[in-house]
Amino acid sequence: QVHVVESGGGLVQAGGSQRLSCVVSGGPWSGYAMGWFRQAPGKEREFVAAVSWSGGSTYYLDSVKGRFTLSKDNAKNTVHLQMNSLKPEDTAVYYCAASYTTVATPDLEKEYDYWGQGTQVTVSS
């Protein structure tokens, strides 16, 4: 059984930084493409960032480009989302997602096979 576990959420002031981590474990596959999505209160879940199966390509939501950086440790099936210059509009529950195959369209939820429970990120103004 595959487990996707996020960590690192919490409360931060606007302009501050926070680092989210996600670990995938328990599956028979050698690696995963991984992504982060977020859902703010009253809004639909949206794509934030993703990294390819190999780790060689990353993708970002336009509004987080230059502020968020996604890195991947293939050996540990772990990704880290470094979030800098946080804004109140970044407040949301952040979900990690994993696909055991390559992902053709990283910003689509249906591309991912496994999801974490989410971690709350709250940015105060």
Side-chain angles (χ1 to χ4, degrees), residues 52-109:
S52 62
W53 196 96
S54 67
S57 298
T58 51
Y59 313 88
Y60 297 95
L61 177 69
D62 283 347
S63 63
V64 308
K65 285 180 181 177
R67 300 189 298 123
F68 291 13
T69 302
L70 183 59
S71 60
K72 186 170 186 264
D73 184 336
N74 286 332
K76 297 180 179 179
N77 286 329
T78 299
V79 292
H80 303 288
L81 183 66
Q82 179 65 43
M83 306 184 294
N84 299 328
S85 301
L86 282 162
K87 304 175 181 180
E89 51 263 44
D90 295 317
T91 295
V93 177
Y94 283 69
Y95 297 90
C96 180
S99 168
Y100 62 88
T101 63
T102 56
V103 170
T105 313
D107 61 343
L108 291 183
E109 293 186 30

Side-chain angles (χ1 to χ4, degrees), residues 105-125:
T105 313
D107 61 343
L108 291 183
E109 293 186 30
K110 66 179 182 178
E111 292 275 14
Y112 298 91
D113 306 293
Y114 307 103
W115 291 79
Q117 293 298 307
T119 184
Q120 176 71 46
V121 173
T122 302
V123 184
S124 63
S125 58

